[in-house]
Amino acid sequence: MSDLHHGHRHPRLHSHTAADKVDAALESSARGMRALWVSLAVLGATAVAQAAVAVASGSVALLGDTVHNAADALTAVPLAVAFVLGRRAATRRFTYGYGRAEDLAGLVVVLTIAASAAFAGWTAVTRLLDPRPVDHVPVVAAAAVVGFLGNEWVARHRVRVGREIGSAALVADGLHARTDALTSLAVLAGAGGAALGWELADPLVGLAITAAILLVLRDAAREVFGRVLDAVDPALVDRAEQALGEVPGVCGVGELRLRWIGHRLRAEVAVVVDGEASVRRAHGVAVAAEHALLHAVPGLTAALVHADPAPVPGEADPHLPLAHHTAA
């Protein structure tokens, strides 16, 4: 047999058995859920406090910031649903499981950011056409500070957990919260202008907030759509190639593919082995290659290793019968 595939089909007494991988994946989902609920509570309280001040003061800058904060808090719901679905076992219909639900939740986050930008912009333009004074300026300033503190804490928490578990959707939502924190500081500028009697300061800051939201939309869309299109950090590919090159028995590394399924990373790789090696020996090299990948690539939970025999001069390519199936 000239080649074989290996992908942890047999349980082994080792820390990378299928059961341990499932436990690790469940734990990462649980951490994501905890981060979501904690941030939901913090942002929810922040939005309620800001909403009360926005209604009393008539500040459109604070209203735009409040709506953005509320939308940011509510994005925890689709993400939580995605984390719950991601825990479900693979089926004969969904053979890779339900991890892609997390990518769909990321799309919901992007659409939510777009909606909040549209609302904030519409409100600011309306107030530019019909300027009104802002009341209770000191309270507006205090609410802006509350918004900054709440959002910055949530941003740090979401980004840290998201990067640790490999969730692009959670990281994007954390970056969204960080920009919310900066726009809350912008509300302070609007309150300062209002205190000086400049009525247009508030709607102009509202427009600045809209622009900031659009920048977040661009970054979040790049993050989420990149994940949907199976984009990975090239540094992960470099680490995988380096690790494979150091495995005894691996003569070369052929095709290497990495893809995220939710916050779980999978690999498919072809390695070149001695063509005269026995099937058992080639299988051992495949196991060692997978083991090396699991240690070298953060977030990797599974790898499918294909062993190809080293080419011999004058010998036909063993993959030639497949050529007409893979031609562009």
Side-chain angles (χ1 to χ4, degrees):
M1 187 173 183
S2 61
D3 50 53
L4 65 135
H5 294 279
H6 181 263
H8 272 317
R9 294 188 179 89
H10 308 290
R12 296 190 294 276
L13 297 178
H14 192 277
S15 61
H16 299 305
T17 61
D20 288 325
K21 291 179 187 177
V22 171
D23 290 342
L26 290 177
E27 174 58 26
S28 63
S29 294
R31 291 188 62 197
M33 289 287 288
R34 287 194 296 270
L36 286 174
W37 294 131
V38 170
S39 60
L40 176 61
V42 173
L43 286 180
T46 300
V48 169
Q50 286 188 312
V53 177
V55 172
S57 65
S59 169
V60 294
L62 184 59
L63 178 61
D65 194 35
T66 301
V67 171
H68 199 193
N69 289 339
D72 194 13
L74 292 177
T75 54
V77 176
L79 283 173
V81 172
F83 280 127
V84 171
L85 284 176
R87 296 179 177 184
R88 298 181 62 179
T91 65
R92 291 182 65 84
R93 181 176 179 81
F94 296 95
T95 55
Y96 281 96
Y98 296 83
R100 283 292 189 185
E102 195 172 320
D103 299 327
L104 294 178
L107 294 176
V108 173
V109 171
V110 170
L111 292 175
T112 302
I113 298 173
S116 63
F119 178 81
W122 175 80
T123 305
V125 170
T126 300
R127 188 57 58 88
L128 271 176
L129 299 176
D130 183 20
R132 298 177 187 178
V134 175
D135 300 322
H136 311 294
V137 173
V139 182
V140 171
V145 172
V146 170
F148 168 75
L149 294 176
N151 277 288
E152 179 59 22
W153 187 90
V154 167
R156 289 175 180 268
H157 189 58
R158 285 183 177 177
V159 170
R160 178 176 58 81
V161 175
R163 286 176 176 164
E164 288 175 354
I165 68 174
S167 173
L170 190 56
V171 169
D173 215 23
L175 295 175
H176 178 201
R178 173 153 292 155
T179 303
D180 286 350
L182 296 176
T183 56
S184 293
L185 289 182
V187 174
L188 279 175
L196 295 175
W198 187 27
E199 289 187 349
L200 292 181
D202 185 62
L204 288 175
V205 171
L207 288 177
I209 289 175
T210 302
I213 297 174
L214 290 175
L215 291 176
V216 176
L217 177 61
R218 181 198 64 184
D219 294 339
R222 181 186 297 122
E223 185 83 20
V224 171
F225 283 112
R227 184 61 64 90
V228 170
L229 294 174
D230 289 331
V232 297
D233 185 351
L236 293 178
V237 180
D238 294 338
R239 294 185 66 167
E241 289 178 336
Q242 181 179 357
L244 290 169
E246 297 173 355
V247 175
V250 172
C251 303
V253 179
E255 187 176 56
L256 171 62
R257 295 182 179 181
L258 299 174
R259 73 185 309 189
W260 287 99
I261 301 178
H263 54 272
R264 304 173 189 178
L265 190 63
R266 296 181 63 94
E268 297 177 7
V269 59
V271 296
V272 179
V273 301
D274 183 0
E276 302 302 320
S278 66
V279 172
R280 190 175 302 277
R281 170 58 183 160
H283 179 266
V285 174
V287 171
E290 182 182 4
H291 192 191
L293 286 174
L294 291 171
H295 277 289
V297 182
L300 187 68
T301 59
L304 182 65
V305 180
H306 175 89
D308 284 332
V312 176
E315 182 182 53
D317 184 354
H319 298 107
L320 193 58
L322 304 176
H324 67 285
H325 292 290
T326 58

